[in-house]
Amino acid sequence: MVKFGRILLKDGINKKLLEILVCPLSKQPLRLCEKTNSLISDAIGVSYPIVDGIPRLVPTEGKIIETDDASHSDGSVDLPGK
């Protein structure tokens, strides 16, 4: 962690900012995934990357999170309605 003034930064992300950011699609809270350095929307199963400490919350930047039920050995994912 880096201390910047009175605000603690975690991996370049402001802790207070994490509390107010929401998914641009579901409008639900996001959680930080340190393993993938991304913000996760559990509500819709999308991961948004953090690049150089800046969350990329553009819907086209989001990636669908693979689950054990929907993932295949070739890495493809079953999408609803397909």
Side-chain angles (χ1 to χ4, degrees):
M1 278 193 219
V2 177
K3 189 172 182 179
F4 183 74
R6 293 186 176 187
I7 300 170
L8 290 177
L9 300 178
K10 186 167 189 148
D11 298 324
I13 297 291
N14 180 309
K15 184 178 176 184
K16 200 67 164 164
L17 182 61
L18 282 175
E19 293 174 9
I20 61 172
L21 285 177
V22 296
C23 173
L25 298 172
S26 70
K27 310 299 187 236
Q28 298 299 311
L30 297 166
R31 69 175 167 86
L32 176 65
C33 178
E34 294 177 357
K35 182 179 176 185
T36 61
N37 194 36
S38 62
L39 295 174
I40 309 291
S41 173
D42 290 319
I44 60 172
V46 173
S47 171
Y48 297 98
I50 300 171
V51 180
D52 296 328
I54 301 169
R56 298 224 175 147
L57 298 178
V58 179
T60 56
E61 295 276 339
K63 296 191 191 272
I64 296 173
I65 299 172
E66 294 183 25
T67 61
D68 292 335
D69 295 336
S71 62
H72 301 282
S73 59
D74 66 355
S76 63
V77 176
D78 288 333
L79 298 175
K82 299 229 174 189

